Structures are given as structure tokens and as C-alpha cells.
């Protein structure tokens, strides 16, 4: 029957990553899954903590590469194709916020899919983001999880 979990693949990343430029860039955190049926859906879950040196805004976007054909952003309904993560204010220093992003993809393939999370510090380099860290620049490491779950149709 449909709606059953067929497989779960998870990446656990413990590297502190940083970004300062306003362009979209890879976090280098990826999860790879090969669906067993072209009708399967893939539930993506991205969880972790993000620290900020100043300001509390970031934009996240999932990119995918199907069968090695080249990487591209997933088209999510809406004008931004991604998720904005915002903290309590725009002037706090050494703050952090939990990042929890969830998306259900319908890849229509049985080829290997590599999903990679991209991000940028919204605001044009006015602040530095730290992924995998509780407080910006304080080296308080915490893991980031990227999970792909195949759900049978």
C-alpha cells in the first residue's frame, strides 16, 4: 500500500560552516538517496542551529542533482523558492536560532538523487552566519542533520 516509508538516509554534519556573501552558496551538507519507484515521494528534513555575528536573517534553498545530470534549485511554489530564517531582531550579536526546514519532493525518478542545502546571509554581507554552532563565533559546536525519507505512493 501507499504512504509507507521505504528507506531513510541521514547525514550528520558536525562542521561549523560560515557564510558572509550575499550570493547563494553551498553549505556542503548533502544527503543522497535512490528511490525504489518513480512514483515515490522524498521527505526532506534539515535540522540544526545557526549562529549570527550580527543580524538574524538567512535564506535557505534546496538544490538537487538527479543521476549526475547537474545541480539545480528545487522549484518550490512561491516567489522565493526557499525558506527565510529570522531571529528575534536584526541587531543582536552572538545569537542563535534553530533551523528546521521540511519539504516533500516528487522527483519522478529511480536515479540517485543528491540533495544539497544552499544558503546566504540575507542582507548583502552585513553579517556572518555560522551553521552548526550555537552562538556566532563562539565555537559551541552542535550537529546539523539532513534526512531524506522515501515514501511509497
Amino acid at each position: 500500500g501507499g504512504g509507507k516509508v521505504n528507506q531513510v538516509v541521514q547525514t550528520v554534519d558536525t562542521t561549523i560552516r560560515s557564510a558572509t556573501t550575499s550570493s547563494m552558496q553551498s553549505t556542503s551538507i548533502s544527503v543522497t538517496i535512490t528511490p525504489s519507484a518513480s512514483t515515490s515521494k522524498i521527505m526532506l528534513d534539515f535540522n540544526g542551529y545557526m549562529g549570527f555575528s550580527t543580524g538574524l536573517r538567512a535564506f535557505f534553498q534546496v538544490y538537487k542533482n538527479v543521476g549526475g545530470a547537474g545541480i539545480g534549485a528545487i522549484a518550490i511554489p512561491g516567489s522565493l523558492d526557499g525558506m527565510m530564517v529570522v531571529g528575534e531582531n536584526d541587531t543582536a550579536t552572538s545569537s542563535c536560532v534553530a533551523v528546521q526546514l521540511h519539504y516533500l519532493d516528487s522527483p519522478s525518478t529511480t536515479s540517485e538523487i543528491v540533495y544539497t542545502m544552499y544558503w546566504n546571509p540575507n542582507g548583502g554581507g552585513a553579517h556572518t552566519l555560522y551553521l552548526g554552532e550555537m552562538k556566532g563565533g563562539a565555537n559551541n559546536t552542535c550537529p546539523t542533520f539532513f534526512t531524506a525519507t522515501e515514501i511509497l505512493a
Side-chain angles (χ1 to χ4, degrees), residues 18-83:
S18 64
T20 56
T21 64
S22 60
S23 62
M24 195 59 71
Q25 57 200 280
S26 175
T27 63
S28 298
I29 301 173
S30 298
V31 63
T32 302
I33 193 167
T34 303
S36 62
S38 61
T39 55
S40 293
K41 297 193 181 303
I42 306 297
M43 174 61 78
L44 299 172
D45 297 295
F46 186 82
N47 301 283
Y49 282 93
M50 183 170 56
F52 302 82
S53 61
T54 58
L56 290 168
R57 296 175 291 168
F59 185 73
F60 283 82
Q61 192 169 19
V62 181
Y63 281 61
K64 72 178 175 181
N65 185 335
V66 179
I71 196 162
I74 290 180
I76 298 173
S79 61
L80 295 177
D81 289 335
M83 301 289 289

